[in-house]
């Protein structure tokens, strides 16, 4: 038997899109190695029969439902370990959120299993699953093969696309778990707090994104002025570094724990181009980067790279675009 | 309170990292340094000590790695750790995340800390996951990517950014916490601290001395094998403009945007 077990995250009664991608991927790969795809969900009353059954549409045949706290990894490790012990799944697959990393790693410890993270593709080879992950700042690809009874695959965000298949409705199985003593030592006090204004960056055609290179919260005005000069459907976006620093609202953040965008133009100012940022914007049609460090990773995936000081370039660029628009 | 900080030696940022095709492992020749993300974990330990909410008796830096890794420990001590533990054994070479986390947990277990701190990621392996592995073996609660941490009444109030925004989580001690790089601005070591670092106690331990099962570590004990290294499909390189005369640079950017009908 070579079944694949996935974890599906949910929030306020809605299933996570990356988790649905993991279910689709799990179903496709499981069928190639003669198994089924199953899913684990952990939470409260909002995990209705109906919501769980709906995972069938993405290819899950069974959904194991544990009642427990939401948004924390260790209780999910307990549930998944129990389900795997009882059913003997050959692989555990995650769709690349923060929680997936923590659960996958905890499960690797518990089950003494191999784990690969940041996986961008999975394929079947001689009845086994093989995972590919980029390494060393995405300059190389490494291929993982597993030994033992269980292999753990943690996807990179947006690596697996959610696809509906005519799988019908999934069977819901309630799992009774006794949580490990240490799994109950963490308690969610507040979840999903939105810091800063509620801005919309997902609908914009032109995004001017600012990073730590802007230097101060006040300097975001340079990015805002440029976005305003473009006019029309433009907005300002940000990196985690500046959101964590309180310079810009969380709603404007692009990346692994922020939004995924694909505007016509993405213009980065003072952004290094870390992988967790890149995964949220790499599908943009045109990528322009302004950075004073010629070795910044962002230049590896820019269509136009400008090596220079944003404090000099942005004001003049804003004026030049205003002049063009006016003419 | 006793705090263990896990620190790793990594190739210096200026060294181009590559895989040695004969061993399939990272080529570790060239300058090495303390993983920059780990300096935030040491700083977090120092701030708990200096914060005064609890008394911190000891901060112990722990690493697993070859002979050369003592330099990472010296650096950690110069940044504030009181002493260090170097887990070093040929049997550990080639360990994957699950094996490394297990071995580190064994070394830490002996210290019985109230808090284990780590960095958010290593600069070379970029696996983000050691904390969760260590925690499961130590049977402690854990959280990664923590950017704010307050100690009170035997618990930590932690904040971090997760999938849907910022979460606040109350974690009872003992616990394993990986800190994000936004948690603090690490201090620079003083010259005196750098000079004194070599004089602080450094204990070297072998795998057997901390009860590590040799069958669970090293290349043979690792359950994932990484190989077949190859270059990714490369996107054609973009155009680069070096800004010398800003007026000219801006003209070029505008022309580029106009060609693509973006203005
Ligand atoms: C689990 C996890 C999730 C994450 N999620 C996200 C996410 O959702 N989104 C995200 O963005 N990041 C995320 N990160 C963080 C990410 O790894 C980077 O730390 C972050 O993207 C860096 O932001 P930055 O580019 O603004 O800052 P830095 O990396 O500090 O880069 C600043 C850049 O500005 C340049 N600069 C400085 N001054 C000037 C100047 N005057 N003119 C021009 N250039 C200048 C510098 O050369 C540098 O390249 C996540 C990390 C982890 C581990
Ligand atoms: C390019 C590359 C790719 C790899 N891919 C995989 C893979 O897919 N799966 C896999 O199982 N292994 C993989 N490995 C092996 C893995 O990196 C090592 O097992 C490593 O020791 C732990 O991973 P990390 O350093 O990336 O940990 P991370 O989880 O990124 O490190 C987080 C923190 O853990 C602490 N820490 C990490 N290592 C040590 C140490 N030796 N001593 C003390 N503290 C430490 C530090 O505080 C660090 O900040 C890879 C290695 C390389 C070089």
């Amino acid at each position: 038997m070579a079944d694949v077990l996935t974890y599906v995250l949910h929030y306020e009664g809605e299933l996570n899109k990356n988790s649905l991608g993991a279910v689709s991927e799990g179903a496709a790969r499981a069928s190639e190695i003669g198994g089924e795809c199953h899913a684990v969900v952990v939470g409260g009353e909002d995990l209705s029969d109906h919501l769980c059954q709906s995972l069938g549409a993405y290819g899950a045949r069974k959904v194991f439902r544990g009642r427990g706290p939401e948004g924390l990894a260790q209780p999910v490790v307990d549930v998944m370990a129990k389900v795997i012990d009882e059913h003997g799944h050959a692989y555990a697959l995650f769709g690349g959120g923060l929680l997936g990393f923590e659960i996958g790693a905890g499960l690797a410890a518990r089950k003494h299993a191999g784990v690969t993270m940041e996986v961008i593709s999975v394929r079947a080879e001689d009845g086994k699953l093989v995972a590919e992950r980029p390494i060393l700042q995405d300059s190389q690809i490494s291929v993982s093969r597993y030994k033992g009874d269980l292999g753990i695959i943690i996807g990179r965000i947006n690596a697996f696309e959610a696809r509906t298949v005519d799988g019908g409705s999934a069977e819901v199985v309630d799992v009774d778990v006794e949580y490990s003593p240490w799994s109950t030592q963490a308690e969610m006090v507040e979840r999903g707090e939105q810091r800063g204004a509620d801005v919309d960056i997902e609908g914009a055609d032109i995004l001017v994104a600012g990073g730590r290179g802007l230097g101060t919260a006040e300097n975001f005005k340079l990015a805002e002025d440029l976005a305003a000069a473009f006019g029309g459907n433009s907005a300002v976006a940000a990196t985690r570094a500046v959101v964590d620093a309180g310079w810009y609202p969380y709603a404007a953040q692009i990346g692994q724990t922020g939004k995924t965008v694909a505007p016509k133009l993405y213009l980065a100012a003072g952004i290094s181009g870390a992988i967790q940022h890149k995964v949220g914007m790499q599908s943009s049609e045109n990528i322009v980067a302004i950075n004073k460090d010629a070795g910044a990773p962002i230049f590896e995936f820019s269509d136009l790279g400008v090596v220079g000081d944003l404090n000099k370039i942005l004001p003049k660029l804003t004026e030049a675009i205003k002049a063009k628009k006016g003419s | 309170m006793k705090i263990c900080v896990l620190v790793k030696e990594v190739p210096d940022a200026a060294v181009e990292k590559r895989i040695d095709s004969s061993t399939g492992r990272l080529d570790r020749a060239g300058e090495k340094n303390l993983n920059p993300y780990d300096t935030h974990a040491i700083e977090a330990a120092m701030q708990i000590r200096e914060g005064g909410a609890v008394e911190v008796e000891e901060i112990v830096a722990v690493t697993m790695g070859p002979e050369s890794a003592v330099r990472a420990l010296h650096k950690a001590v110069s940044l504030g750790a009181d002493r260090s533990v170097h887990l070093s054994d040929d049997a550990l070479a080639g360990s994957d995340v699950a094996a490394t986390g297990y071995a580190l947990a064994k070394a830490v277990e002996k210290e019985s800390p109230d808090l284990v701190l780590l960095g958010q990621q290593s600069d070379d392996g970029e696996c983000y996951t050691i904390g969760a592995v260590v925690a499961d073996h130590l049977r402690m609660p854990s959280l990664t990517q923590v950017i704010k941490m307050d100690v009170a009444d035997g618990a930590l109030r932690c904040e971090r950014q997760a999938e849907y925004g910022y979460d606040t989580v109350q974690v009872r001690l003992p616990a394993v916490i990986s800190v994000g790089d936004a948690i603090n601005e690490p201090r620079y070591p003083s010259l005196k601290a750098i000079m004194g670092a070599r004089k602080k106690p450094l204990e070297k331990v072998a795998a057997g001395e901390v009860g590590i099962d040799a069958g669970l570590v090293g290349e043979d004990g690792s359950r994932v094998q990484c190989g077949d290294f190859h270059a990714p499909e490369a996107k054609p390189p973009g155009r680069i403009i070096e800004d010398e005369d800003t007026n000219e640079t801006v003209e070029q950017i505008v022309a580029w945007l106009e060609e693509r009908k973006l203005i």
Side-chain angles (χ1 to χ4, degrees), chain A residues 306 313, chain B residues 241-254:
Chain A
V306 183
I313 298 165
Chain B
I241 303 172
E242 305 261 358
D243 179 40
E244 275 152 20
D245 174 336
T246 304
N247 291 328
E248 221 172 88
T249 301
V250 164
E251 254 174 54
Q252 290 178 51
I253 302 173
V254 169

Side-chain angles (χ1 to χ4, degrees), chain A residues 258-282:
Chain A
K259 305 266 163 49
T260 296
V261 295
K264 286 199 178 75
L265 172 65
Y266 163 95
L267 190 151
I271 292 178
S272 61
I275 286 153
Q276 294 82 10
H277 185 75
K278 173 182 167 182
V279 291
M281 47 60 67
Q282 61 189 352

Side-chain angles (χ1 to χ4, degrees), chain A residues 115-117 133 135-136 144, chain B residues 6-8 19 26 28 35 37-38 62-65 95-98 100 104 117-122 124-131 224 226:
Chain A
V115 57
T116 311
M117 56 298 298
R133 79 166 280 206
I135 56 169
L136 305 176
S144 283
Chain B
L6 304 186
V7 299
K8 188 185 183 189
I19 297 291
L26 191 71
R28 294 189 188 272
N35 178 27
Y37 295 98
D38 300 349
V62 180
T63 199
M64 164 179 142
S95 292
D96 66 1
V97 160
T100 302
L104 284 168
L117 295 174
L118 305 80
Q120 69 174 37
Q121 71 193 74
S122 73
D124 54 356
E126 299 172 307
C127 292
Y128 315 95
T129 41
I130 289 291
V224 64
C226 306

Side-chain angles (χ1 to χ4, degrees), chain A residues 98 102 141 195 244 257, chain B residues 144 159-161 163 166 230:
Chain A
L98 186 55
E102 294 179 336
I141 304 281
R195 295 188 177 165
D244 276 346
T257 44
Chain B
T144 65
E159 294 180 16
R160 64 153 171 191
Q161 195 187 84
E163 279 86 354
Y166 287 87
H230 59 275

Side-chain angles (χ1 to χ4, degrees), chain A:
Chain A
M1 196 169 61
D3 292 339
V4 176
L5 186 64
T6 61
Y7 166 66
V8 176
L9 173 69
H10 73 289
Y11 183 58
E12 295 184 337
E14 206 175 310
L15 302 173
N16 181 279
K17 191 172 131 269
N18 267 279
S19 295
L20 296 177
V23 173
S24 296
E25 181 70 15
R29 299 292 81 81
S31 73
E32 292 172 352
I33 54 172
E36 291 183 354
C37 178
H38 302 153
V40 160
V41 291
V42 176
E45 290 309 314
D46 58 344
L47 286 174
S48 65
D49 285 351
H50 178 74
L51 189 68
C52 295
Q53 285 160 351
S54 73
L55 286 167
Y58 298 89
R61 304 292 286 275
K62 282 185 188 152
V63 176
F64 297 95
R65 177 172 57 191
R67 295 294 182 190
E70 287 171 20
L72 296 170
Q74 287 165 308
V76 183
V77 174
D78 289 337
V79 177
M80 290 186 86
K82 179 164 192 206
V83 170
I84 292 168
D85 284 342
E86 285 170 5
H87 298 262
H89 294 87
Y91 298 94
L93 180 75
F94 300 86
L98 186 55
L99 227 49
F101 277 74
E102 294 179 336
I103 301 165
L107 197 57
R110 190 76 61 87
K111 303 293 299 165
H112 183 45
V115 57
T116 311
M117 56 298 298
E118 289 285 293
V119 170
I120 53 165
S121 94
V122 184
R123 62 172 193 271
E125 200 180 270
D126 305 325
K128 294 188 166 172
L129 294 187
V130 168
E132 297 201 351
R133 79 166 280 206
I135 56 169
L136 305 176
Q137 283 289 323
D138 288 6
S139 65
Q140 288 277 302
I141 304 281
S142 164
V143 182
S144 283
R145 293 186 170 77
Y146 297 91
K147 293 191 284 190
D149 303 329
L150 177 68
I152 298 172
I153 300 169
I154 305 171
R156 177 174 276 191
I157 207 127
N158 300 325
F160 308 133
E161 202 186 328
R163 276 162 283 146
T164 47
V165 290
D166 34 33
S169 153
E171 179 194 343
V172 181
V173 183
D174 281 303
V175 191
D176 227 354
V177 266
E178 199 184 313
Y179 288 109
S180 308
W182 60 96
S183 296
T184 55
Q185 301 296 302
E187 188 196 333
M188 185 68 75
V189 178
E190 184 178 5
R191 187 175 178 207
E193 182 197 342
Q194 302 296 306
R195 295 188 177 165
D198 183 19
V199 295
D200 175 24
I201 61 166
E202 284 162 300
D205 288 331
I206 292 180
L207 280 179
V208 178
R212 192 143 48 187
L214 282 172
T216 59
E218 292 68 44
N219 237 8
F220 255 89
K221 179 147 194 320
L222 296 179
E224 285 169 347
D225 288 347
L226 179 56
F230 275 111
N233 201 359
S234 64
V236 173
T239 63
R240 187 182 79 166
V242 298
V243 172
D244 276 346
W247 296 359
Y248 224 66
Y250 169 69
Q253 184 183 311
I254 292 174
Q256 180 171 345
T257 44
K259 305 266 163 49
T260 296
V261 295
K264 286 199 178 75
L265 172 65
Y266 163 95
L267 190 151
I271 292 178
S272 61
I275 286 153
Q276 294 82 10
H277 185 75
K278 173 182 167 182
V279 291
M281 47 60 67
Q282 61 189 352
S283 306
S284 303
E285 279 174 46
N286 294 284
I287 300 173
V288 178
I290 302 173
N291 195 305
K292 68 175 184 191
D293 173 9
I298 197 155
F299 291 132
E300 304 281 330
F301 51 92
S302 300
D303 301 298
L304 177 64
V306 183
V307 184
D309 183 352
L310 63 87
N311 294 302
K312 277 166 47 188
I313 298 165
L314 289 185
K316 288 195 170 174
L317 184 56
T318 301
E319 287 316 312
I321 289 170
K322 270 194 203 155
K324 278 282 164 204
K325 290 266 182 182
S327 65

